[in-house]
Amino acid sequence: MPKWSPAGVAGAKWGDVTTPVREGRGGWPSDGRGGTISADGTGFGPYYGVGAGQRAPDGSAADDIAAVKGGVKAIQRALNWHQATSKPIPTDGVFSQTTRSALIAFQQQKQPTINRDMYIPANERSPLGLVHKETSYALFMPIADRYALKYTVPRGLLRGITTIESNWDPGAIGYYTNSDFGLCQWNTTLPDITKDNALDPFWALDSTAHMMRTRIDATDWGKNWIYVIAAHNVPTWALQWAQGKLVPGSADDQPKLDRMTGYVTNVLARTW
């Protein structure tokens, strides 16, 4: 029986109606899961560039491919937000030569100023025409800062949450789940949260900042940013923590406290 293996759906066979099992992708997948490419554009790797999302290696599922295409669309929209070129480029999720030209213009003209106060390790640099962490920081951090100002939340906390959740990969998909997407890893099992929402960088950053403001203003959360930060990871436990309902040292509650304090510590270590 011949195997049926379209790009992005590994292991399925003719007549097999079982949904492919996703393997973890996380952010900036070095194996190109979903269709990100290598620096030279001839294979799979952690970069967005011409050809990203147009084919995918074995092990990619439909969600992985959708996330990479969503990441490309996010990059295109951010380039238009920054007015990288005199005319807006298409935001169709296809990394074309037009997108590449706009990206290079942004990298040469605006990225150095935006990132001037940042230390960027060599392995996070973005070659011209490709998007990795250096360029993603420059594209999306100013957008995050806008929403932090809009809702008067500390911009460092919004940056820290985004760094922990996706490392600023606009097409990140949860490593252990198939329901968390985008810069802030919004969970699509929540009511009214769609994959398109989560992969929309403007929606994701706006909604994260808005939720932070809502919680810090509510008495249920103790007016404490520690609980607000933890809530982005596990809101039910964080609310119990804020209300003093978790008992340190107990077999049931200590693992919850350990997870949340670890998350908060990691966020605070990535604020700038």
mmCIF file of all heavy atoms in Angstrom, residues 75-92 96 98-99 101-103:
data_model
loop_
_atom_site.group_PDB
_atom_site.id
_atom_site.type_symbol
_atom_site.label_atom_id
_atom_site.label_comp_id
_atom_site.label_asym_id
_atom_site.label_seq_id
_atom_site.Cartn_x
_atom_site.Cartn_y
_atom_site.Cartn_z
ATOM 1 N N ILE A 75 4.986 38.717 10.323
ATOM 2 C CA ILE A 75 6.157 39.487 9.895
ATOM 3 C C ILE A 75 5.753 40.531 8.861
ATOM 4 O O ILE A 75 6.162 41.700 8.936
ATOM 5 C CB ILE A 75 7.233 38.534 9.335
ATOM 6 C CG1 ILE A 75 7.838 37.702 10.472
ATOM 7 C CG2 ILE A 75 8.324 39.307 8.595
ATOM 8 C CD1 ILE A 75 8.625 36.494 10.003
ATOM 9 N N GLN A 76 4.938 40.132 7.900
ATOM 10 C CA GLN A 76 4.491 41.069 6.866
ATOM 11 C C GLN A 76 3.701 42.226 7.476
ATOM 12 O O GLN A 76 3.903 43.395 7.118
ATOM 13 C CB GLN A 76 3.638 40.326 5.834
ATOM 14 C CG GLN A 76 4.421 39.324 5.003
ATOM 15 C CD GLN A 76 3.520 38.423 4.176
ATOM 16 O OE1 GLN A 76 2.418 38.049 4.601
ATOM 17 N NE2 GLN A 76 3.975 38.053 2.992
ATOM 18 N N ARG A 77 2.813 41.915 8.402
ATOM 19 C CA ARG A 77 2.010 42.967 9.035
ATOM 20 C C ARG A 77 2.887 43.905 9.858
ATOM 21 O O ARG A 77 2.669 45.123 9.879
ATOM 22 C CB ARG A 77 0.921 42.342 9.901
ATOM 23 C CG ARG A 77 -0.142 41.596 9.103
ATOM 24 C CD ARG A 77 -1.240 41.088 10.011
ATOM 25 N NE ARG A 77 -1.950 42.200 10.637
ATOM 26 C CZ ARG A 77 -2.673 42.080 11.751
ATOM 27 N NH1 ARG A 77 -2.754 40.908 12.366
ATOM 28 N NH2 ARG A 77 -3.301 43.121 12.249
ATOM 29 N N ALA A 78 3.888 43.333 10.542
ATOM 30 C CA ALA A 78 4.790 44.176 11.330
ATOM 31 C C ALA A 78 5.622 45.078 10.425
ATOM 32 O O ALA A 78 5.863 46.253 10.749
ATOM 33 C CB ALA A 78 5.691 43.303 12.199
ATOM 34 N N LEU A 79 6.066 44.560 9.284
ATOM 35 C CA LEU A 79 6.814 45.395 8.339
ATOM 36 C C LEU A 79 5.962 46.571 7.867
ATOM 37 O O LEU A 79 6.453 47.703 7.749
ATOM 38 C CB LEU A 79 7.276 44.557 7.146
ATOM 39 C CG LEU A 79 8.421 43.575 7.419
ATOM 40 C CD1 LEU A 79 8.588 42.611 6.244
ATOM 41 C CD2 LEU A 79 9.733 44.314 7.688
ATOM 42 N N ASN A 80 4.688 46.326 7.620
ATOM 43 C CA ASN A 80 3.795 47.421 7.226
ATOM 44 C C ASN A 80 3.589 48.405 8.374
ATOM 45 O O ASN A 80 3.508 49.621 8.157
ATOM 46 C CB ASN A 80 2.455 46.865 6.749
ATOM 47 C CG ASN A 80 2.546 46.213 5.377
ATOM 48 O OD1 ASN A 80 3.475 46.474 4.616
ATOM 49 N ND2 ASN A 80 1.586 45.358 5.059
ATOM 50 N N TRP A 81 3.495 47.893 9.596
ATOM 51 C CA TRP A 81 3.323 48.767 10.766
ATOM 52 C C TRP A 81 4.520 49.708 10.915
ATOM 53 O O TRP A 81 4.370 50.878 11.249
ATOM 54 C CB TRP A 81 3.160 47.908 12.017
ATOM 55 C CG TRP A 81 2.812 48.657 13.262
ATOM 56 C CD1 TRP A 81 1.577 49.085 13.657
ATOM 57 C CD2 TRP A 81 3.724 49.046 14.305
ATOM 58 N NE1 TRP A 81 1.658 49.714 14.883
ATOM 59 C CE2 TRP A 81 2.962 49.710 15.299
ATOM 60 C CE3 TRP A 81 5.094 48.901 14.495
ATOM 61 C CZ2 TRP A 81 3.531 50.220 16.470
ATOM 62 C CZ3 TRP A 81 5.665 49.410 15.658
ATOM 63 C CH2 TRP A 81 4.887 50.062 16.623
ATOM 64 N N HIS A 82 5.701 49.175 10.640
ATOM 65 C CA HIS A 82 6.929 49.978 10.716
ATOM 66 C C HIS A 82 7.141 50.831 9.464
ATOM 67 O O HIS A 82 8.116 51.582 9.409
ATOM 68 C CB HIS A 82 8.146 49.065 10.899
ATOM 69 C CG HIS A 82 8.306 48.507 12.270
ATOM 70 N ND1 HIS A 82 8.857 49.213 13.315
ATOM 71 C CD2 HIS A 82 7.989 47.281 12.784
ATOM 72 C CE1 HIS A 82 8.893 48.465 14.406
ATOM 73 N NE2 HIS A 82 8.370 47.284 14.111
ATOM 74 N N GLN A 83 6.266 50.675 8.473
ATOM 75 C CA GLN A 83 6.399 51.388 7.198
ATOM 76 C C GLN A 83 7.789 51.151 6.596
ATOM 77 O O GLN A 83 8.519 52.080 6.245
ATOM 78 C CB GLN A 83 6.129 52.884 7.378
ATOM 79 C CG GLN A 83 4.707 53.175 7.837
ATOM 80 C CD GLN A 83 4.413 54.654 7.999
ATOM 81 O OE1 GLN A 83 5.296 55.456 8.301
ATOM 82 N NE2 GLN A 83 3.160 55.025 7.789
ATOM 83 N N ALA A 84 8.107 49.859 6.484
ATOM 84 C CA ALA A 84 9.420 49.483 5.952
ATOM 85 C C ALA A 84 9.598 49.932 4.511
ATOM 86 O O ALA A 84 10.723 50.204 4.071
ATOM 87 C CB ALA A 84 9.601 47.969 6.054
ATOM 88 N N THR A 85 8.500 50.002 3.772
ATOM 89 C CA THR A 85 8.542 50.474 2.387
ATOM 90 C C THR A 85 7.467 51.538 2.200
ATOM 91 O O THR A 85 6.555 51.675 3.029
ATOM 92 C CB THR A 85 8.301 49.314 1.400
ATOM 93 O OG1 THR A 85 7.083 48.636 1.750
ATOM 94 C CG2 THR A 85 9.442 48.316 1.448
ATOM 95 N N SER A 86 7.563 52.274 1.121
ATOM 96 C CA SER A 86 6.624 53.383 0.900
ATOM 97 C C SER A 86 5.200 52.894 0.676
ATOM 98 O O SER A 86 4.240 53.603 0.983
ATOM 99 C CB SER A 86 7.079 54.226 -0.296
ATOM 100 O OG SER A 86 7.173 53.429 -1.471
ATOM 101 N N LYS A 87 5.060 51.680 0.149
ATOM 102 C CA LYS A 87 3.745 51.092 -0.057
ATOM 103 C C LYS A 87 3.636 49.801 0.744
ATOM 104 O O LYS A 87 4.607 49.046 0.835
ATOM 105 C CB LYS A 87 3.512 50.798 -1.545
ATOM 106 C CG LYS A 87 3.449 52.039 -2.423
ATOM 107 C CD LYS A 87 3.174 51.655 -3.875
ATOM 108 C CE LYS A 87 3.093 52.889 -4.759
ATOM 109 N NZ LYS A 87 2.836 52.524 -6.187
ATOM 110 N N PRO A 88 2.471 49.515 1.329
ATOM 111 C CA PRO A 88 2.313 48.270 2.090
ATOM 112 C C PRO A 88 2.546 47.045 1.206
ATOM 113 O O PRO A 88 2.229 47.052 0.015
ATOM 114 C CB PRO A 88 0.855 48.328 2.569
ATOM 115 C CG PRO A 88 0.491 49.777 2.525
ATOM 116 C CD PRO A 88 1.256 50.352 1.371
ATOM 117 N N ILE A 89 3.110 46.017 1.806
ATOM 118 C CA ILE A 89 3.315 44.762 1.090
ATOM 119 C C ILE A 89 2.140 43.831 1.374
ATOM 120 O O ILE A 89 1.405 44.019 2.350
ATOM 121 C CB ILE A 89 4.642 44.091 1.506
ATOM 122 C CG1 ILE A 89 4.615 43.729 3.002
ATOM 123 C CG2 ILE A 89 5.822 44.996 1.179
ATOM 124 C CD1 ILE A 89 5.802 42.887 3.444
ATOM 125 N N PRO A 90 1.920 42.813 0.543
ATOM 126 C CA PRO A 90 0.832 41.860 0.804
ATOM 127 C C PRO A 90 1.029 41.143 2.143
ATOM 128 O O PRO A 90 2.163 40.853 2.544
ATOM 129 C CB PRO A 90 0.935 40.876 -0.365
ATOM 130 C CG PRO A 90 1.639 41.632 -1.443
ATOM 131 C CD PRO A 90 2.604 42.537 -0.736
ATOM 132 N N THR A 91 -0.063 40.870 2.822
ATOM 133 C CA THR A 91 -0.014 40.135 4.090
ATOM 134 C C THR A 91 -0.737 38.805 3.908
ATOM 135 O O THR A 91 -1.719 38.509 4.580
ATOM 136 C CB THR A 91 -0.650 40.953 5.228
ATOM 137 O OG1 THR A 91 -1.993 41.323 4.857
ATOM 138 C CG2 THR A 91 0.148 42.214 5.496
ATOM 139 N N ASP A 92 -0.209 38.012 2.985
ATOM 140 C CA ASP A 92 -0.865 36.771 2.588
ATOM 141 C C ASP A 92 -0.219 35.523 3.172
ATOM 142 O O ASP A 92 -0.633 34.404 2.876
ATOM 143 C CB ASP A 92 -0.888 36.663 1.062
ATOM 144 C CG ASP A 92 0.507 36.830 0.441
ATOM 145 O OD1 ASP A 92 1.500 36.900 1.200
ATOM 146 O OD2 ASP A 92 0.589 36.899 -0.803
ATOM 147 N N SER A 96 7.459 36.145 -0.047
ATOM 148 C CA SER A 96 7.841 36.375 -1.440
ATOM 149 C C SER A 96 9.094 37.241 -1.514
ATOM 150 O O SER A 96 9.612 37.726 -0.504
ATOM 151 C CB SER A 96 6.698 37.080 -2.168
ATOM 152 O OG SER A 96 6.481 38.358 -1.578
ATOM 153 N N THR A 98 9.030 40.156 -2.676
ATOM 154 C CA THR A 98 8.569 41.471 -2.225
ATOM 155 C C THR A 98 8.719 41.601 -0.717
ATOM 156 O O THR A 98 9.174 42.632 -0.199
ATOM 157 C CB THR A 98 7.100 41.685 -2.627
ATOM 158 O OG1 THR A 98 6.994 41.629 -4.055
ATOM 159 C CG2 THR A 98 6.581 43.030 -2.131
ATOM 160 N N THR A 99 8.341 40.537 0.003
ATOM 161 C CA THR A 99 8.510 40.529 1.459
ATOM 162 C C THR A 99 9.984 40.631 1.819
ATOM 163 O O THR A 99 10.371 41.380 2.725
ATOM 164 C CB THR A 99 7.904 39.247 2.058
ATOM 165 O OG1 THR A 99 6.509 39.197 1.754
ATOM 166 C CG2 THR A 99 8.094 39.208 3.569
ATOM 167 N N SER A 101 12.433 41.973 0.122
ATOM 168 C CA SER A 101 12.944 43.322 -0.147
ATOM 169 C C SER A 101 12.542 44.292 0.961
ATOM 170 O O SER A 101 13.351 45.119 1.409
ATOM 171 C CB SER A 101 12.429 43.818 -1.499
ATOM 172 O OG SER A 101 12.926 43.017 -2.553
ATOM 173 N N ALA A 102 11.287 44.190 1.411
ATOM 174 C CA ALA A 102 10.826 45.053 2.500
ATOM 175 C C ALA A 102 11.577 44.740 3.785
ATOM 176 O O ALA A 102 11.931 45.641 4.560
ATOM 177 C CB ALA A 102 9.324 44.875 2.705
ATOM 178 N N LEU A 103 11.831 43.457 4.020
ATOM 179 C CA LEU A 103 12.559 43.050 5.217
ATOM 180 C C LEU A 103 13.977 43.608 5.212
ATOM 181 O O LEU A 103 14.457 44.139 6.225
ATOM 182 C CB LEU A 103 12.589 41.523 5.300
ATOM 183 C CG LEU A 103 13.427 40.941 6.436
ATOM 184 C CD1 LEU A 103 12.867 41.341 7.794
ATOM 185 C CD2 LEU A 103 13.508 39.418 6.308
#
